[in-house]
Amino acid sequence: MEDYRTLTYEVDGRVARITFDRPEHGNAITADTPVELADAVERADTDRRVHVILLSGRGKGFCGGYDLGLFAEGDMGASGEAGTSVLDATVQLENHDPNRTWDPMVDYQMMSRFNRGYASLLHANKPTVAKLHGFAVAGGTDIALHCDQIVVADDVRIGYPPTRAWGVPATGLWAHRLGDQRAKRLLLTGDLITGKQAVEWGLAIESHPAEELDARTEALVQRIAAMPQNQLIMVKLALNSALLAQGVATSGMVSTVFDGISRHTAEGYGFAQRAVEAGFREAVRERDEPFGDAKPS
């Protein structure tokens, strides 16, 4: 087994289990995450033993979004020689300097590569199931929404608060998964919904008490795994054709561009500056305070 920095991978019978494994950081996303996720998905997709891929998170929640603390410290975990790759922290930090000219395509090149890693879940031949507990917010939703089935704990919190300042969901999947009205209800406010609401709104397929989530998800995964592998692939390809015809790729491209723009508005620069001065937790608390759902810094 290859060692990963952000997740673990194992095959158990007909199930490939990919588990985000940075619990001390809320499984926050680093530059390694999309690369490792895509690699693990490809391993499962080409493994003749595997019928279904289960994605989950270790610790208190599924995924808390991007590790903005790393960005602030100038260490995004990127590979390559500093200054030569659009994934290098130095390149991105310079491109986010308000005293320099912003190059939107440098921003796009970086974020689009994150999206490609997440999209491996959608484009995998075999079905993918996400199990969400605790929290699945911001970039964590970018990942989860690419899965074919989403099973949630009743009390999980799901949403994209960065739309309040400094972010647009770069993968552009919300309207495709929820429809126009409900997607706008969440993204025009940055509000979160519970697992129960996610099922009511069609974002998730099942919701269960937290203590039952593992067992109930396992029951679903094993039912899928009992199907012939070729049938699973054919069904997913057929149904994905309808989703892709809706323009998922175009939505992702447009949303990625606007995600970059959102970090280069007056409000975006203001949020980033406040994060440098007081830390990201305090900047987020101040951002959320007017909405009545701020957490202590």
Side-chain angles (χ1 to χ4, degrees):
M1 285 294 180
E2 182 177 341
D3 291 331
Y4 292 118
R5 298 177 64 182
T6 67
L7 54 85
T8 61
Y9 175 86
E10 64 175 324
V11 175
D12 176 15
R14 292 182 168 190
V15 182
R17 303 178 189 275
I18 302 173
T19 309
F20 293 130
D21 193 27
R22 299 182 72 234
E24 69 280 9
H25 300 289
N27 296 320
I29 298 164
T30 73
D32 292 315
T33 304
V35 177
E36 294 181 351
L37 178 61
D39 183 79
V41 169
E42 180 67 6
R43 289 170 67 180
D45 217 22
T46 56
D47 189 334
R48 291 283 294 167
R49 299 170 296 172
V50 173
H51 287 221
V52 59
I53 301 166
L54 176 62
L55 180 68
S56 61
R58 191 162 280 119
K60 294 181 179 181
F62 173 76
C63 177
Y66 287 88
D67 197 331
L68 300 179
L70 290 179
F71 186 87
E73 295 163 8
D75 178 15
M76 295 171 65
S79 58
E81 184 180 348
T84 64
S85 168
V86 292
L87 298 179
D88 289 330
T90 52
V91 172
Q92 290 299 325
L93 287 168
E94 288 177 359
N95 198 41
H96 283 73
D97 185 343
N99 296 315
R100 295 171 178 257
T101 300
W102 173 52
D103 186 338
M105 291 299 98
V106 170
D107 218 312
Y108 179 82
Q109 284 182 286
M110 175 190 70
M111 285 306 303
S112 63
R113 278 161 176 76
F114 277 84
N115 292 347
R116 289 179 199 175
Y118 310 152
S120 65
L121 294 159
L122 176 64
H123 296 294
N125 298 139
K126 297 169 184 176
T128 55
V129 179
K131 178 174 64 176
L132 309 186
H133 76 289
F135 46 81
V137 296
T141 62
D142 286 335
I143 297 173
L145 292 181
H146 279 99
C147 289
D148 302 308
Q149 299 276 269
I150 300 176
V151 184
V152 298
D154 290 343
D155 60 354
V156 68
R157 304 290 283 171
I158 304 170
Y160 208 95
T163 57
R164 294 172 177 174
W166 219 59
V168 171
T171 54
L173 284 170
W174 285 94
H176 296 282
R177 294 304 197 189
L178 280 179
D180 176 70
Q181 287 281 324
R182 284 172 168 165
K184 286 176 179 174
R185 170 61 184 85
L186 285 182
L187 300 183
L188 292 176
T189 62
D191 287 347
L192 304 179
I193 59 173
T194 65
K196 287 185 176 181
Q197 288 173 290
V199 170
E200 292 170 1
W201 286 21
L203 182 65
I205 193 65
E206 296 181 18
S207 175
H208 304 288
E211 64 273 14
E212 299 178 16
L213 180 63
D214 288 348
R216 300 297 290 270
T217 304
E218 192 64 23
L220 172 62
V221 167
Q222 292 301 333
R223 287 185 70 82
I224 296 173
M227 294 275 288
Q229 192 176 117
N230 52 20
Q231 287 293 131
L232 293 172
I233 294 173
M234 286 187 283
V235 168
K236 178 166 178 176
L237 287 172
L239 296 178
N240 267 8
S241 66
L243 181 63
L244 295 173
Q246 295 175 9
V248 169
T250 301
S251 298
M253 178 183 67
V254 172
S255 297
T256 301
V257 171
F258 278 114
D259 185 46
I261 293 173
S262 73
R263 292 190 293 276
H264 296 84
T265 62
E267 293 82 2
Y269 282 130
F271 177 81
Q273 183 59 40
R274 184 58 181 155
V276 171
E277 295 169 353
F280 272 101
R281 287 181 180 274
E282 175 61 16
V284 168
R285 190 197 67 77
E286 294 174 3
R287 177 200 70 190
D288 294 342
E289 193 169 34
F291 296 88
D293 53 13
K295 298 291 191 300
S297 62

